[in-house]
Amino acid sequence: MAEHEPAPERPADRNPARPTNRFALASMLLGLLAVLLTVSGCLCPLVWAFTPVGWAVAPVAAVLAMVFGFIARGQFQYADRSAGSRMATSGIVMGGLTVVLSLALLLGSYLGWGVLDWQDVGSPPPQEPTGRHLNDEP
């Protein structure tokens, strides 16, 4: 009778999958949300003129992405038992870019460099002059 030989080890058995760090995952997803909201506001400012939620959500999501990314990076330094270092880094980068872009947009709109004139939103379009003044008689 032949002896039962153990099955050879597979590479997956030697390196079990490590769980993903939840702070790193949250950092990446919030950074992506912040970038998408900011870019959509740049491409279509009329959407943000009527729904100003994006102006509030994008910077908050960006700051949270950076905070969670730095928390995850700190956890990786003390215990390297979870995966997600690249996710944390991408969240920090996307959050930082969104903060810089949001500040540039805010400064630009304050200085009048904006694409959209915020005073004209919701008002009727200007009418062509007729050549007559209000005090003139018909």
Side-chain angles (χ1 to χ4, degrees), residues 85-131:
S85 176
R86 291 181 182 163
M87 282 192 260
T89 303
S90 67
I92 292 169
V93 169
M94 287 188 288
L97 288 176
T98 301
V99 166
V100 169
L101 186 59
S102 296
L103 289 175
L105 289 173
L106 184 64
L107 179 66
S109 65
Y110 177 73
L111 295 175
W113 301 337
V115 178
L116 183 64
D117 188 5
W118 295 103
Q119 295 174 351
D120 291 339
V121 173
S123 63
Q127 296 180 358
E128 294 183 23
T130 59

mmCIF file of all heavy atoms in Angstrom, residues 85-131:
data_model
loop_
_atom_site.group_PDB
_atom_site.id
_atom_site.type_symbol
_atom_site.label_atom_id
_atom_site.label_comp_id
_atom_site.label_asym_id
_atom_site.label_seq_id
_atom_site.Cartn_x
_atom_site.Cartn_y
_atom_site.Cartn_z
ATOM 1 N N SER A 85 -1.340 50.034 2.762
ATOM 2 C CA SER A 85 -0.445 51.188 2.826
ATOM 3 C C SER A 85 -0.622 52.091 1.609
ATOM 4 O O SER A 85 -0.635 53.322 1.728
ATOM 5 C CB SER A 85 1.003 50.716 2.920
ATOM 6 O OG SER A 85 1.873 51.815 2.900
ATOM 7 N N ARG A 86 -0.784 51.500 0.445
ATOM 8 C CA ARG A 86 -0.971 52.304 -0.768
ATOM 9 C C ARG A 86 -2.328 53.009 -0.773
ATOM 10 O O ARG A 86 -2.462 54.103 -1.296
ATOM 11 C CB ARG A 86 -0.820 51.425 -2.002
ATOM 12 C CG ARG A 86 0.593 50.956 -2.200
ATOM 13 C CD ARG A 86 0.733 50.125 -3.424
ATOM 14 N NE ARG A 86 2.103 49.663 -3.543
ATOM 15 C CZ ARG A 86 2.468 48.670 -4.307
ATOM 16 N NH1 ARG A 86 1.574 48.022 -5.025
ATOM 17 N NH2 ARG A 86 3.733 48.302 -4.362
ATOM 18 N N MET A 87 -3.327 52.360 -0.186
ATOM 19 C CA MET A 87 -4.636 53.011 -0.082
ATOM 20 C C MET A 87 -4.549 54.236 0.809
ATOM 21 O O MET A 87 -5.124 55.283 0.506
ATOM 22 C CB MET A 87 -5.676 52.034 0.479
ATOM 23 C CG MET A 87 -6.193 51.051 -0.506
ATOM 24 S SD MET A 87 -7.629 50.190 0.132
ATOM 25 C CE MET A 87 -6.883 48.686 0.659
ATOM 26 N N ALA A 88 -3.836 54.112 1.920
ATOM 27 C CA ALA A 88 -3.677 55.253 2.827
ATOM 28 C C ALA A 88 -2.938 56.390 2.136
ATOM 29 O O ALA A 88 -3.324 57.562 2.246
ATOM 30 C CB ALA A 88 -2.938 54.827 4.082
ATOM 31 N N THR A 89 -1.894 56.063 1.401
ATOM 32 C CA THR A 89 -1.130 57.084 0.687
ATOM 33 C C THR A 89 -1.978 57.761 -0.377
ATOM 34 O O THR A 89 -1.935 58.990 -0.523
ATOM 35 C CB THR A 89 0.122 56.457 0.050
ATOM 36 O OG1 THR A 89 0.896 55.837 1.076
ATOM 37 C CG2 THR A 89 0.961 57.503 -0.651
ATOM 38 N N SER A 90 -2.769 56.979 -1.102
ATOM 39 C CA SER A 90 -3.615 57.587 -2.136
ATOM 40 C C SER A 90 -4.683 58.483 -1.515
ATOM 41 O O SER A 90 -5.013 59.533 -2.061
ATOM 42 C CB SER A 90 -4.259 56.509 -3.011
ATOM 43 O OG SER A 90 -5.187 55.749 -2.266
ATOM 44 N N GLY A 91 -5.212 58.106 -0.361
ATOM 45 C CA GLY A 91 -6.180 58.952 0.327
ATOM 46 C C GLY A 91 -5.567 60.259 0.780
ATOM 47 O O GLY A 91 -6.179 61.329 0.674
ATOM 48 N N ILE A 92 -4.324 60.197 1.285
ATOM 49 C CA ILE A 92 -3.637 61.416 1.711
ATOM 50 C C ILE A 92 -3.375 62.325 0.524
ATOM 51 O O ILE A 92 -3.607 63.540 0.582
ATOM 52 C CB ILE A 92 -2.317 61.056 2.432
ATOM 53 C CG1 ILE A 92 -2.609 60.369 3.754
ATOM 54 C CG2 ILE A 92 -1.460 62.294 2.654
ATOM 55 C CD1 ILE A 92 -1.389 59.746 4.412
ATOM 56 N N VAL A 93 -2.931 61.752 -0.582
ATOM 57 C CA VAL A 93 -2.627 62.555 -1.777
ATOM 58 C C VAL A 93 -3.894 63.171 -2.347
ATOM 59 O O VAL A 93 -3.933 64.380 -2.651
ATOM 60 C CB VAL A 93 -1.895 61.692 -2.829
ATOM 61 C CG1 VAL A 93 -1.810 62.405 -4.156
ATOM 62 C CG2 VAL A 93 -0.512 61.331 -2.327
ATOM 63 N N MET A 94 -4.953 62.382 -2.516
ATOM 64 C CA MET A 94 -6.199 62.928 -3.068
ATOM 65 C C MET A 94 -6.810 63.965 -2.138
ATOM 66 O O MET A 94 -7.326 64.990 -2.598
ATOM 67 C CB MET A 94 -7.202 61.789 -3.328
ATOM 68 C CG MET A 94 -6.851 60.941 -4.514
ATOM 69 S SD MET A 94 -8.137 59.760 -4.974
ATOM 70 C CE MET A 94 -8.029 58.556 -3.654
ATOM 71 N N GLY A 95 -6.750 63.731 -0.837
ATOM 72 C CA GLY A 95 -7.257 64.714 0.112
ATOM 73 C C GLY A 95 -6.467 66.013 0.056
ATOM 74 O O GLY A 95 -7.040 67.102 0.065
ATOM 75 N N GLY A 96 -5.152 65.906 -0.011
ATOM 76 C CA GLY A 96 -4.314 67.103 -0.096
ATOM 77 C C GLY A 96 -4.551 67.888 -1.370
ATOM 78 O O GLY A 96 -4.645 69.124 -1.349
ATOM 79 N N LEU A 97 -4.670 67.180 -2.487
ATOM 80 C CA LEU A 97 -4.943 67.869 -3.757
ATOM 81 C C LEU A 97 -6.300 68.554 -3.735
ATOM 82 O O LEU A 97 -6.461 69.667 -4.253
ATOM 83 C CB LEU A 97 -4.876 66.877 -4.920
ATOM 84 C CG LEU A 97 -3.489 66.386 -5.297
ATOM 85 C CD1 LEU A 97 -3.578 65.324 -6.393
ATOM 86 C CD2 LEU A 97 -2.608 67.531 -5.748
ATOM 87 N N THR A 98 -7.276 67.923 -3.117
ATOM 88 C CA THR A 98 -8.604 68.517 -3.043
ATOM 89 C C THR A 98 -8.598 69.756 -2.156
ATOM 90 O O THR A 98 -9.244 70.759 -2.489
ATOM 91 C CB THR A 98 -9.622 67.493 -2.521
ATOM 92 O OG1 THR A 98 -9.631 66.377 -3.409
ATOM 93 C CG2 THR A 98 -11.007 68.082 -2.444
ATOM 94 N N VAL A 99 -7.870 69.713 -1.046
ATOM 95 C CA VAL A 99 -7.786 70.895 -0.178
ATOM 96 C C VAL A 99 -7.139 72.049 -0.934
ATOM 97 O O VAL A 99 -7.633 73.189 -0.907
ATOM 98 C CB VAL A 99 -7.017 70.563 1.120
ATOM 99 C CG1 VAL A 99 -6.633 71.819 1.866
ATOM 100 C CG2 VAL A 99 -7.855 69.665 2.009
ATOM 101 N N VAL A 100 -6.044 71.777 -1.648
ATOM 102 C CA VAL A 100 -5.363 72.830 -2.411
ATOM 103 C C VAL A 100 -6.271 73.373 -3.508
ATOM 104 O O VAL A 100 -6.385 74.595 -3.690
ATOM 105 C CB VAL A 100 -4.033 72.297 -2.993
ATOM 106 C CG1 VAL A 100 -3.441 73.255 -3.996
ATOM 107 C CG2 VAL A 100 -3.049 72.019 -1.875
ATOM 108 N N LEU A 101 -6.944 72.482 -4.240
ATOM 109 C CA LEU A 101 -7.833 72.928 -5.313
ATOM 110 C C LEU A 101 -9.020 73.701 -4.758
ATOM 111 O O LEU A 101 -9.441 74.713 -5.338
ATOM 112 C CB LEU A 101 -8.310 71.723 -6.132
ATOM 113 C CG LEU A 101 -9.140 72.020 -7.369
ATOM 114 C CD1 LEU A 101 -8.358 72.896 -8.342
ATOM 115 C CD2 LEU A 101 -9.550 70.738 -8.045
ATOM 116 N N SER A 102 -9.572 73.260 -3.635
ATOM 117 C CA SER A 102 -10.699 73.979 -3.029
ATOM 118 C C SER A 102 -10.291 75.373 -2.570
ATOM 119 O O SER A 102 -11.032 76.343 -2.754
ATOM 120 C CB SER A 102 -11.260 73.193 -1.845
ATOM 121 O OG SER A 102 -11.801 71.981 -2.264
ATOM 122 N N LEU A 103 -9.101 75.482 -1.981
ATOM 123 C CA LEU A 103 -8.618 76.802 -1.572
ATOM 124 C C LEU A 103 -8.370 77.702 -2.776
ATOM 125 O O LEU A 103 -8.656 78.902 -2.744
ATOM 126 C CB LEU A 103 -7.350 76.663 -0.731
ATOM 127 C CG LEU A 103 -7.543 76.088 0.672
ATOM 128 C CD1 LEU A 103 -6.199 75.897 1.354
ATOM 129 C CD2 LEU A 103 -8.441 76.990 1.500
ATOM 130 N N ALA A 104 -7.845 77.128 -3.869
ATOM 131 C CA ALA A 104 -7.620 77.916 -5.079
ATOM 132 C C ALA A 104 -8.948 78.389 -5.669
ATOM 133 O O ALA A 104 -9.059 79.536 -6.118
ATOM 134 C CB ALA A 104 -6.843 77.088 -6.099
ATOM 135 N N LEU A 105 -9.954 77.518 -5.676
ATOM 136 C CA LEU A 105 -11.268 77.911 -6.187
ATOM 137 C C LEU A 105 -11.908 78.980 -5.311
ATOM 138 O O LEU A 105 -12.525 79.921 -5.808
ATOM 139 C CB LEU A 105 -12.183 76.691 -6.281
ATOM 140 C CG LEU A 105 -11.865 75.685 -7.369
ATOM 141 C CD1 LEU A 105 -12.738 74.450 -7.225
ATOM 142 C CD2 LEU A 105 -12.033 76.306 -8.733
ATOM 143 N N LEU A 106 -11.753 78.831 -4.004
ATOM 144 C CA LEU A 106 -12.310 79.820 -3.084
ATOM 145 C C LEU A 106 -11.628 81.172 -3.263
ATOM 146 O O LEU A 106 -12.290 82.209 -3.346
ATOM 147 C CB LEU A 106 -12.163 79.328 -1.648
ATOM 148 C CG LEU A 106 -12.774 80.192 -0.558
ATOM 149 C CD1 LEU A 106 -14.281 80.254 -0.735
ATOM 150 C CD2 LEU A 106 -12.427 79.640 0.802
ATOM 151 N N LEU A 107 -10.313 81.156 -3.358
ATOM 152 C CA LEU A 107 -9.570 82.399 -3.573
ATOM 153 C C LEU A 107 -9.911 83.009 -4.927
ATOM 154 O O LEU A 107 -10.093 84.214 -5.052
ATOM 155 C CB LEU A 107 -8.069 82.137 -3.466
ATOM 156 C CG LEU A 107 -7.160 83.340 -3.682
ATOM 157 C CD1 LEU A 107 -7.366 84.347 -2.560
ATOM 158 C CD2 LEU A 107 -5.715 82.900 -3.745
ATOM 159 N N GLY A 108 -10.023 82.154 -5.942
ATOM 160 C CA GLY A 108 -10.365 82.648 -7.274
ATOM 161 C C GLY A 108 -11.746 83.259 -7.341
ATOM 162 O O GLY A 108 -11.951 84.293 -7.978
ATOM 163 N N SER A 109 -12.706 82.656 -6.668
ATOM 164 C CA SER A 109 -14.054 83.229 -6.687
ATOM 165 C C SER A 109 -14.097 84.519 -5.873
ATOM 166 O O SER A 109 -14.833 85.443 -6.206
ATOM 167 C CB SER A 109 -15.076 82.230 -6.157
ATOM 168 O OG SER A 109 -14.834 81.951 -4.803
ATOM 169 N N TYR A 110 -13.277 84.603 -4.820
ATOM 170 C CA TYR A 110 -13.220 85.830 -4.019
ATOM 171 C C TYR A 110 -12.600 86.967 -4.822
ATOM 172 O O TYR A 110 -13.053 88.114 -4.748
ATOM 173 C CB TYR A 110 -12.409 85.579 -2.743
ATOM 174 C CG TYR A 110 -12.242 86.804 -1.889
ATOM 175 C CD1 TYR A 110 -13.308 87.312 -1.159
ATOM 176 C CD2 TYR A 110 -11.023 87.467 -1.819
ATOM 177 C CE1 TYR A 110 -13.167 88.439 -0.379
ATOM 178 C CE2 TYR A 110 -10.863 88.590 -1.043
ATOM 179 C CZ TYR A 110 -11.935 89.079 -0.325
ATOM 180 O OH TYR A 110 -11.792 90.194 0.433
ATOM 181 N N LEU A 111 -11.583 86.662 -5.613
ATOM 182 C CA LEU A 111 -10.918 87.691 -6.410
ATOM 183 C C LEU A 111 -11.614 87.963 -7.735
ATOM 184 O O LEU A 111 -11.191 88.836 -8.480
ATOM 185 C CB LEU A 111 -9.461 87.296 -6.662
ATOM 186 C CG LEU A 111 -8.582 87.220 -5.412
ATOM 187 C CD1 LEU A 111 -7.201 86.706 -5.772
ATOM 188 C CD2 LEU A 111 -8.491 88.580 -4.744
ATOM 189 N N GLY A 112 -12.654 87.227 -8.034
ATOM 190 C CA GLY A 112 -13.419 87.464 -9.253
ATOM 191 C C GLY A 112 -12.914 86.724 -10.463
ATOM 192 O O GLY A 112 -13.232 87.069 -11.589
ATOM 193 N N TRP A 113 -12.106 85.672 -10.260
ATOM 194 C CA TRP A 113 -11.609 84.898 -11.388
ATOM 195 C C TRP A 113 -12.526 83.760 -11.765
ATOM 196 O O TRP A 113 -12.219 82.974 -12.641
ATOM 197 C CB TRP A 113 -10.248 84.297 -11.073
ATOM 198 C CG TRP A 113 -9.183 85.271 -10.743
ATOM 199 C CD1 TRP A 113 -9.128 86.579 -11.097
ATOM 200 C CD2 TRP A 113 -8.014 85.020 -9.981
ATOM 201 N NE1 TRP A 113 -8.000 87.152 -10.603
ATOM 202 C CE2 TRP A 113 -7.296 86.223 -9.908
ATOM 203 C CE3 TRP A 113 -7.507 83.904 -9.347
ATOM 204 C CZ2 TRP A 113 -6.092 86.323 -9.242
ATOM 205 C CZ3 TRP A 113 -6.309 84.013 -8.684
ATOM 206 C CH2 TRP A 113 -5.608 85.212 -8.635
ATOM 207 N N GLY A 114 -13.656 83.631 -11.102
ATOM 208 C CA GLY A 114 -14.539 82.486 -11.299
ATOM 209 C C GLY A 114 -15.171 82.449 -12.676
ATOM 210 O O GLY A 114 -15.282 83.451 -13.382
ATOM 211 N N VAL A 115 -15.577 81.276 -13.053
ATOM 212 C CA VAL A 115 -16.258 81.088 -14.326
ATOM 213 C C VAL A 115 -17.666 81.637 -14.246
ATOM 214 O O VAL A 115 -18.203 82.157 -15.208
ATOM 215 C CB VAL A 115 -16.297 79.582 -14.682
ATOM 216 C CG1 VAL A 115 -17.043 79.343 -15.968
ATOM 217 C CG2 VAL A 115 -14.904 79.012 -14.744
ATOM 218 N N LEU A 116 -18.247 81.575 -13.090
ATOM 219 C CA LEU A 116 -19.640 81.924 -12.901
ATOM 220 C C LEU A 116 -19.737 83.187 -12.063
ATOM 221 O O LEU A 116 -19.068 83.320 -11.047
ATOM 222 C CB LEU A 116 -20.346 80.772 -12.174
ATOM 223 C CG LEU A 116 -21.827 80.886 -11.941
ATOM 224 C CD1 LEU A 116 -22.558 80.900 -13.263
ATOM 225 C CD2 LEU A 116 -22.300 79.735 -11.103
ATOM 226 N N ASP A 117 -20.549 84.135 -12.495
ATOM 227 C CA ASP A 117 -20.784 85.334 -11.709
ATOM 228 C C ASP A 117 -21.905 85.019 -10.730
ATOM 229 O O ASP A 117 -23.062 84.890 -11.104
ATOM 230 C CB ASP A 117 -21.185 86.499 -12.619
ATOM 231 C CG ASP A 117 -21.258 87.818 -11.882
ATOM 232 O OD1 ASP A 117 -20.904 87.844 -10.684
ATOM 233 O OD2 ASP A 117 -21.665 88.804 -12.497
ATOM 234 N N TRP A 118 -21.564 84.868 -9.460
ATOM 235 C CA TRP A 118 -22.503 84.392 -8.461
ATOM 236 C C TRP A 118 -23.650 85.366 -8.227
ATOM 237 O O TRP A 118 -24.692 84.981 -7.750
ATOM 238 C CB TRP A 118 -21.776 84.118 -7.156
ATOM 239 C CG TRP A 118 -20.807 83.017 -7.310
ATOM 240 C CD1 TRP A 118 -19.454 83.120 -7.438
ATOM 241 C CD2 TRP A 118 -21.101 81.631 -7.427
ATOM 242 N NE1 TRP A 118 -18.891 81.895 -7.610
ATOM 243 C CE2 TRP A 118 -19.880 80.960 -7.604
ATOM 244 C CE3 TRP A 118 -22.266 80.890 -7.393
ATOM 245 C CZ2 TRP A 118 -19.808 79.589 -7.749
ATOM 246 C CZ3 TRP A 118 -22.188 79.528 -7.539
ATOM 247 C CH2 TRP A 118 -20.973 78.900 -7.709
ATOM 248 N N GLN A 119 -23.501 86.633 -8.580
ATOM 249 C CA GLN A 119 -24.585 87.589 -8.379
ATOM 250 C C GLN A 119 -25.688 87.397 -9.421
ATOM 251 O O GLN A 119 -26.823 87.767 -9.192
ATOM 252 C CB GLN A 119 -24.052 89.011 -8.453
ATOM 253 C CG GLN A 119 -23.099 89.313 -7.315
ATOM 254 C CD GLN A 119 -22.461 90.679 -7.461
ATOM 255 O OE1 GLN A 119 -22.603 91.320 -8.491
ATOM 256 N NE2 GLN A 119 -21.755 91.101 -6.435
ATOM 257 N N ASP A 120 -25.346 86.834 -10.550
ATOM 258 C CA ASP A 120 -26.327 86.653 -11.614
ATOM 259 C C ASP A 120 -27.067 85.326 -11.538
ATOM 260 O O ASP A 120 -27.953 85.070 -12.335
ATOM 261 C CB ASP A 120 -25.651 86.758 -12.979
ATOM 262 C CG ASP A 120 -25.178 88.168 -13.259
ATOM 263 O OD1 ASP A 120 -25.700 89.100 -12.617
ATOM 264 O OD2 ASP A 120 -24.283 88.347 -14.104
ATOM 265 N N VAL A 121 -26.724 84.461 -10.616
ATOM 266 C CA VAL A 121 -27.383 83.164 -10.526
ATOM 267 C C VAL A 121 -28.817 83.366 -10.049
ATOM 268 O O VAL A 121 -29.075 83.977 -9.030
ATOM 269 C CB VAL A 121 -26.631 82.234 -9.559
ATOM 270 C CG1 VAL A 121 -27.413 80.958 -9.345
ATOM 271 C CG2 VAL A 121 -25.264 81.938 -10.094
ATOM 272 N N GLY A 122 -29.758 82.871 -10.831
ATOM 273 C CA GLY A 122 -31.160 82.958 -10.465
ATOM 274 C C GLY A 122 -31.835 84.240 -10.898
ATOM 275 O O GLY A 122 -33.037 84.389 -10.772
ATOM 276 N N SER A 123 -31.101 85.208 -11.415
ATOM 277 C CA SER A 123 -31.720 86.450 -11.880
ATOM 278 C C SER A 123 -31.968 86.342 -13.376
ATOM 279 O O SER A 123 -31.296 85.591 -14.076
ATOM 280 C CB SER A 123 -30.829 87.648 -11.560
ATOM 281 O OG SER A 123 -29.601 87.538 -12.243
ATOM 282 N N PRO A 124 -32.937 87.105 -13.887
ATOM 283 C CA PRO A 124 -33.216 87.030 -15.320
ATOM 284 C C PRO A 124 -32.041 87.595 -16.114
ATOM 285 O O PRO A 124 -31.266 88.400 -15.609
ATOM 286 C CB PRO A 124 -34.468 87.898 -15.486
ATOM 287 C CG PRO A 124 -34.500 88.771 -14.290
ATOM 288 C CD PRO A 124 -33.810 88.032 -13.201
ATOM 289 N N PRO A 125 -31.904 87.167 -17.356
ATOM 290 C CA PRO A 125 -30.798 87.667 -18.164
ATOM 291 C C PRO A 125 -30.965 89.170 -18.435
ATOM 292 O O PRO A 125 -32.088 89.684 -18.470
ATOM 293 C CB PRO A 125 -30.886 86.853 -19.452
ATOM 294 C CG PRO A 125 -32.278 86.336 -19.484
ATOM 295 C CD PRO A 125 -32.730 86.218 -18.065
ATOM 296 N N PRO A 126 -29.868 89.879 -18.617
ATOM 297 C CA PRO A 126 -29.987 91.317 -18.878
ATOM 298 C C PRO A 126 -30.667 91.566 -20.221
ATOM 299 O O PRO A 126 -30.501 90.817 -21.175
ATOM 300 C CB PRO A 126 -28.532 91.797 -18.888
ATOM 301 C CG PRO A 126 -27.715 90.579 -19.134
ATOM 302 C CD PRO A 126 -28.491 89.425 -18.601
ATOM 303 N N GLN A 127 -31.446 92.643 -20.266
ATOM 304 C CA GLN A 127 -32.163 92.983 -21.494
ATOM 305 C C GLN A 127 -31.368 94.008 -22.287
ATOM 306 O O GLN A 127 -30.597 94.780 -21.724
ATOM 307 C CB GLN A 127 -33.537 93.532 -21.147
ATOM 308 C CG GLN A 127 -34.403 92.503 -20.454
ATOM 309 C CD GLN A 127 -35.768 93.073 -20.129
ATOM 310 O OE1 GLN A 127 -36.048 94.230 -20.377
ATOM 311 N NE2 GLN A 127 -36.625 92.234 -19.557
ATOM 312 N N GLU A 128 -31.580 93.993 -23.573
ATOM 313 C CA GLU A 128 -30.877 94.943 -24.435
ATOM 314 C C GLU A 128 -31.456 96.335 -24.223
ATOM 315 O O GLU A 128 -32.659 96.504 -24.029
ATOM 316 C CB GLU A 128 -31.050 94.527 -25.892
ATOM 317 C CG GLU A 128 -30.371 93.218 -26.227
ATOM 318 C CD GLU A 128 -30.503 92.891 -27.696
ATOM 319 O OE1 GLU A 128 -30.712 93.813 -28.505
ATOM 320 O OE2 GLU A 128 -30.407 91.712 -28.031
ATOM 321 N N PRO A 129 -30.600 97.331 -24.265
ATOM 322 C CA PRO A 129 -31.119 98.699 -24.101
ATOM 323 C C PRO A 129 -31.976 99.093 -25.307
ATOM 324 O O PRO A 129 -31.680 98.742 -26.440
ATOM 325 C CB PRO A 129 -29.857 99.544 -24.004
ATOM 326 C CG PRO A 129 -28.768 98.708 -24.570
ATOM 327 C CD PRO A 129 -29.172 97.279 -24.402
ATOM 328 N N THR A 130 -33.036 99.812 -25.017
ATOM 329 C CA THR A 130 -33.952 100.226 -26.081
ATOM 330 C C THR A 130 -33.627 101.619 -26.599
ATOM 331 O O THR A 130 -34.182 102.049 -27.596
ATOM 332 C CB THR A 130 -35.399 100.220 -25.570
ATOM 333 O OG1 THR A 130 -35.490 101.102 -24.461
ATOM 334 C CG2 THR A 130 -35.816 98.821 -25.163
ATOM 335 N N GLY A 131 -32.757 102.338 -25.928
ATOM 336 C CA GLY A 131 -32.436 103.696 -26.356
ATOM 337 C C GLY A 131 -33.296 104.739 -25.657
ATOM 338 O O GLY A 131 -33.054 105.922 -25.762
#
